[in-house]
Amino acid sequence: DDGAKWFYANDNDQKGGPLSVLQVKDLIRQGKIRKETLVWREGMPNWRALKDSSLLNFVFPPPALPRSPRSRPRTSMTSKSLLIRGKAHPLVPTSPTSHVRASSGLNRLGGSVDGKTKQKIRSIRDKRKRIVNSTIMGKLESVLVPKEQIKPNRPPMPHSRSASLQKSKGESPPPPKTNILSCLCGKGQGLIQAIQESSEFDLCLYLPAICLAIETTPIWFAEKQQEYIEALKARIIDNEKVAQMMSLLFISRSFRQPRIFESIKAVLCAPNSSIGDTMLYPFPINLLLDKANRKKLKKGFTIEAKGRVFHPFQLNIPIKEIKVLEVLRANPKSVLVEMIAHQGPESKMRPMRIVANQGDDLRQDVASMLTFRFFNYIWSQSRLQHEGFSVRCHAFSTTATGAGIGAREYVENCFPLSDIKRIHPLTNEKLGRLIATGAGSYIAAFVLGIRDRHADNIMIREDGVMFHIDFGKAFGNTVVMDTSSFAITKGFRDEIG
């Protein structure tokens, strides 16, 4: 379940997500999430209280079953007996080998036991085995199976109706979606499994990496490349959110060889298509930052979305319009915006605020974040920790929506490394999280050759999580006057001791 992304909503209108299980545990320690908090993830029909969801078993492990003392009398079938020719013959104790001992007891009795008595002994023994097995399975289900997956026993339905229901619904629920990184690493079945079996969220998130893998398929695997394209086309036709993310890759010129995906582009540009309008109308962020609206960019300016489009980071939320909240002083071409959702079931979740940016090549940010997530997967599989905190590099959401245009997740309550004194009081929990995420962030940035790592390009959240921003100088692109590769300031060294 570590690949699932969760969202939460408190009574005080505090909402957030997507979150991993580890991030949910952190918020539980901080008191922001309780057992009564509403949670949701992809695949759930409605919001549920955490205590009634499958997440409960991962953040609040069930207590161990009490072990009965040895002196406690056993209430088993051994206390019962049968009268055979006036003598009491106790039944054998129930155990995995009870049927062997029972059969040997019958052999010892020989012909002195008639057929009815033998049949009665066997029936009692089989009934006892069924009781024991059902009790054990019930205990295991109560510990291992989420509550919403345990269906109550119901009386059998008429034959014709039950047969039709089995055909329509199937005898068992569909298997959970596969984590996309587990398909590409270790014992996974590779790219075709990642395309066909991954969840909607994972496929949209890692779509740039998947398309790059398809592009770089060796020429001697041309048949495999075509198989990948057909599998991806099937997912796009079946899901308009995947279609939107694929359209943004075309619009942002993220392909090195776009001719490879011509058949997919033809499907996206088809008139009267039922898989979204991203290729037919300008994306709301691109429309907002257009030259015609440059002089109108100020607080309160609103642009209505054309066609059916979704939030770039919360794909379950259809967007009605986009509203400017603030023009950032540091970069006049960057604006803080709010996506306003259509009224409907999806609008219960508060849309994530984003920073719309023009002038930066956000394709490098996308590549860096995807590689950061890959590092996190490797470290989580290795269970690399520092004092109970997982070593990781914080990866925020980002996407390119056009040539030199894109959006980043707006991270609240954070400050640059140069203002590290603002983290006080520095509790043990904050310190452990700061060291674990700092180690992951510095190592990942160094491996990727990310430069220009001065103290204002390294941020810290109030809860102690450290993360890097501004990936314009990366992958061999450097600046003339650069800082140290690790950029560990004196204030940071003083804080961590």
Side-chain angles (χ1 to χ4, degrees), residues 206-248:
Y206 291 96
L207 192 58
I210 288 177
C211 291
L212 179 61
I214 295 175
E215 282 185 295
T216 55
T217 302
I219 191 171
W220 50 88
F221 286 137
E223 293 183 0
K224 279 288 185 183
Q225 186 183 62
Q226 190 60 35
E227 182 184 354
Y228 301 149
I229 292 175
E230 291 301 322
L232 182 58
K233 187 195 299 185
R235 290 296 301 267
I236 288 172
I237 293 174
D238 187 57
N239 194 308
E240 58 183 334
K241 297 157 190 175
V242 181
Q244 172 178 298
M245 298 308 295
M246 190 70 183
S247 301
L248 292 180

Side-chain angles (χ1 to χ4, degrees), residues 72-84:
R72 183 177 176 181
R74 297 184 180 180
T75 58
S76 65
M77 291 292 292
T78 56
S79 59
K80 297 184 179 181
S81 61
L82 279 175
L83 278 177
I84 302 177

Side-chain angles (χ1 to χ4, degrees), residues 301-336:
F301 179 63
T302 304
I303 286 287
E304 185 176 353
K306 295 184 178 181
R308 180 171 171 82
V309 294
F310 299 89
H311 194 293
F313 308 139
Q314 296 169 301
L315 293 167
N316 288 323
I317 302 180
I319 297 303
K320 179 182 178 182
E321 55 188 12
I322 181 172
K323 180 180 179 181
V324 177
L325 299 179
E326 181 183 356
V327 178
L328 304 182
R329 296 179 182 178
N331 185 358
K333 293 184 179 181
S334 296
V335 291
L336 176 63

Side-chain angles (χ1 to χ4, degrees), residues 420 423 430-439 460 464 466 492 496:
I420 193 172
I423 202 173
K430 288 184 179 180
L431 179 61
R433 193 178 291 117
L434 179 65
I435 295 175
T437 55
I460 302 175
M466 176 183 286
F492 183 39
I496 65 177

Side-chain angles (χ1 to χ4, degrees), residues 97-114:
T97 58
S98 61
H99 61 284
V100 178
R101 293 198 295 269
S103 61
S104 62
L106 289 176
N107 291 334
R108 286 196 301 270
L109 291 173
S112 61
V113 181
D114 57 9

Side-chain angles (χ1 to χ4, degrees), residues 170-191:
E171 294 184 355
S172 60
K177 294 294 184 179
T178 308
N179 183 291
I180 200 166
L181 290 179
S182 65
C183 302
L184 302 174
C185 307
K187 298 181 180 179
Q189 299 176 14
L191 195 56

